[in-house]
Amino acid sequence: MNMQSKQRCLLFVTIGALAACGSDATDGPDAPTDNQPAVDPAHFVAGGLKGAITTTSCTLSGGTTTTCYKIVTVGAPSNRTVGPFCPTKITDGSVAGMWIEGGKTYDLTGDFIANLATFYNDTKWKLYDAAGNINVTNSQVACEAAARPDVDPAYQNYCVECALSYYGGGVERTFLIPVNPVARKSGTGSVGMGGVGVAFDGIVLDGPAPVTAIKAAHTIAAFDDCGGHINAHAGYHYHAATGCSPSVTAADGHAAIIGYALDGYGMYALADASGAEPTGLDNCRGHSDGTRGYHYHVASAGENMFIGCFKGEQGTAN
Amino acid sequence: MSAARLALTVVVFVLVLGLPSPASAHDSGDGNAFMWRACDGRQLDDTCAFQNAVHDLYRGTCQSMSNALVCVRNQPIERAASQLPNRMASSNAQSPRWWQWLAMAGVLAISGAAMVVLHAGKRQR
């Protein structure tokens, strides 16, 4: 390498460094566009709704007054029965539900429960008795005591599951979602406790919650194979997109849309028709294209989340 | 070692140190908690990274969920088979932006100095 080549090399490195400094994760080609498609209420499955979707005046999280779709859901998918969640015996080889851990999903079998101490490298994990019966919450009192953040000591080392029958067959939810998404003027909206959006079967798409306390009590809040489980407040809700809920495929091979976020932007599956993940996602896991405008792509099932934040002003989920 | 080679070696070393160290699922054994731990000591929108149980690498930014920061991936998962040897999965108390700015300042200073040295050497010959 001659002297000039060395100088060019150093100049290249320097320019590269400057370019890296200039990039900021909060910026990028992800701003919502002017030709943003409106929410399409026809995507929702009627069986998951309490009644027809209507419009109403609403005030979004940023103070904008606009028109929202009012979507009242029954809290249970109409095309299937939720569950199963927990296996009942450690010798039970069939798959009950699913567990999410370490970025992966695991079939919840008796064998999986039997090996939790090894799985977590913690001998305190023992969710079964001497006869091999797994400790499963079997009443509303039990499930609510075991599922609360400060787990009732009586329900440590339990596989936690609740039944929709405890809540009248489903917890009714009301979503107000702007008909036309309103982009935030600056910054992003944080994900709170009310969920991040709604799937087309009417089930709330929930954000993750810190589970340190629950893990410390050696309990597993089992998911069914669709990535959902039940609690008293949210009813049946999803923590992962596994392909169970209805979706609308795209003719151009783009990932299918699976629901809408509370800010009205579309929530799309992780991968496109060829199985490829999108690139160029912003901090919220969204980006724009000419067909769909700004939209989100949900995270993988093992990540126990859907999107990172809201690019638009949110409606509400109650 | 020539001045240019030394400078490039230092540049690469500084750049590698400046990248966020991924939290690892194997550090604690408590599973998805590493996604939250990856944002310990970081602020909203800071870059973060973590590895799953099989060393797949996830890169993203820290976002607020239920009033706590969690690492939200926004880049395709880098599967373990195709990624470089694991970087040191240390705790991540330092802000990546602070490190990145320091690294970039170091890069500029070292590159500039090396170019001056090379130019001086050329003039002497």
Side-chain angles (χ1 to χ4, degrees):
Chain A
M1 190 184 281
N2 61 30
M3 191 67 70
Q4 281 189 330
S5 297
K6 288 173 181 173
Q7 284 181 327
R8 283 196 206 106
C9 183
L10 282 169
L11 190 61
F12 178 77
V13 171
T14 304
I15 292 169
L18 284 169
C21 279
S23 67
D24 188 327
T26 59
D27 296 328
D30 47 47
T33 57
D34 291 335
N35 58 341
Q36 184 67 43
V39 169
D40 186 350
H43 289 336
F44 288 90
V45 175
L49 305 176
K50 182 86 170 175
I53 295 174
T54 58
T55 56
T56 185
S57 177
C58 60
T59 301
L60 305 179
S61 59
T64 300
T65 299
T66 185
T67 302
C68 281
Y69 281 121
K70 182 179 181 182
I71 305 167
V72 183
T73 64
V74 297
S78 60
N79 62 339
R80 62 184 177 84
T81 303
V82 303
F85 301 98
C86 297
T88 55
K89 286 182 169 290
I90 60 171
T91 53
D92 187 355
S94 61
V95 176
M98 181 177 84
W99 187 231
I100 298 173
E101 196 61 81
K104 292 181 64 180
T105 60
Y106 294 87
D107 289 335
L108 210 43
T109 62
D111 189 56
F112 183 86
I113 295 288
N115 289 300
L116 278 173
T118 302
F119 185 77
Y120 282 121
N121 193 27
D122 178 355
T123 55
K124 294 192 179 99
W125 281 94
K126 188 173 183 297
L127 275 61
Y128 54 92
D129 63 19
N133 299 308
I134 295 171
N135 305 326
V136 180
T137 53
N138 59 2
S139 69
Q140 182 175 353
V141 170
C143 94
E144 291 178 359
R148 73 188 197 205
D150 56 332
V151 178
D152 186 325
Y155 293 100
Q156 297 205 2
N157 265 311
Y158 262 75
C159 186
V160 183
E161 65 175 37
C162 302
L164 281 177
S165 60
Y166 303 157
Y167 309 107
V171 175
E172 187 177 299
R173 302 291 299 266
T174 299
F175 301 89
L176 293 180
I177 294 178
V179 172
N180 293 294
V182 177
R184 286 173 175 270
K185 293 179 178 65
S186 63
T188 57
S190 297
V191 173
M193 300 295 284
V196 299
V198 57
F200 292 144
D201 58 4
I203 302 301
V204 64
L205 301 164
D206 218 346
V211 292
T212 305
I214 294 174
K215 293 279 184 57
H218 305 97
T219 58
I220 279 182
F223 304 97
D224 64 10
D225 276 347
C226 292
H229 61 189
I230 301 164
N231 68 30
H233 307 291
Y236 181 70
H237 57 281
Y238 291 129
H239 279 280
T242 63
C244 287
S245 62
S247 61
V248 180
T249 56
D252 62 0
H254 186 274
I257 186 169
I258 65 166
Y260 284 106
L262 293 183
D263 57 10
Y265 292 122
M267 297 179 70
Y268 289 76
L270 174 64
D272 63 19
S274 69
E277 279 198 52
T279 56
L281 296 180
D282 62 19
N283 292 359
C284 296
R285 290 192 57 82
H287 63 175
S288 296
D289 68 29
T291 303
R292 285 152 285 267
Y294 184 81
H295 60 280
Y296 302 107
H297 285 270
V298 300
S300 65
E303 290 168 271
N304 191 359
M305 71 169 68
F306 296 99
I307 63 174
C309 49
F310 295 104
K311 201 73 173 179
E313 295 186 29
Q314 302 114 270
T316 56
N318 293 306
Chain B
M1 183 182 284
S2 71
R5 185 166 295 177
L6 177 63
L8 283 173
T9 303
V10 172
V11 165
V12 170
F13 181 73
V14 170
L15 280 174
V16 169
L17 278 182
L19 291 171
S21 300
S24 170
H26 288 292
D27 287 349
S28 67
D30 55 359
N32 275 1
F34 65 84
M35 294 170 58
W36 301 85
R37 203 171 52 252
C39 288
D40 284 351
R42 291 193 160 92
Q43 297 181 347
L44 188 70
D45 292 335
D46 278 352
T47 56
C48 55
F50 59 90
Q51 290 181 330
N52 70 4
V54 293
H55 295 292
D56 294 333
L57 186 58
Y58 296 61
R59 296 179 189 275
T61 61
C62 294
Q63 298 300 320
S64 177
M65 304 264 182
S66 304
N67 300 318
L69 289 179
V70 61
C71 191
V72 175
R73 179 176 65 86
N74 65 354
Q75 298 180 37
I77 299 170
E78 297 173 40
R79 299 295 174 189
S82 62
Q83 70 188 47
L84 296 170
N86 296 324
R87 285 186 295 279
M88 185 172 57
S90 61
S91 64
N92 36 43
Q94 300 288 349
S95 164
R97 287 199 171 159
W98 184 87
W99 271 103
Q100 285 171 336
W101 279 112
L102 181 64
M104 295 312 158
V107 166
L108 290 173
I110 293 166
S111 299
M115 289 182 75
V116 168
V117 169
L118 287 170
H119 192 65
K122 184 181 176 185
R123 289 176 64 181
Q124 282 179 354
R125 278 199 287 270

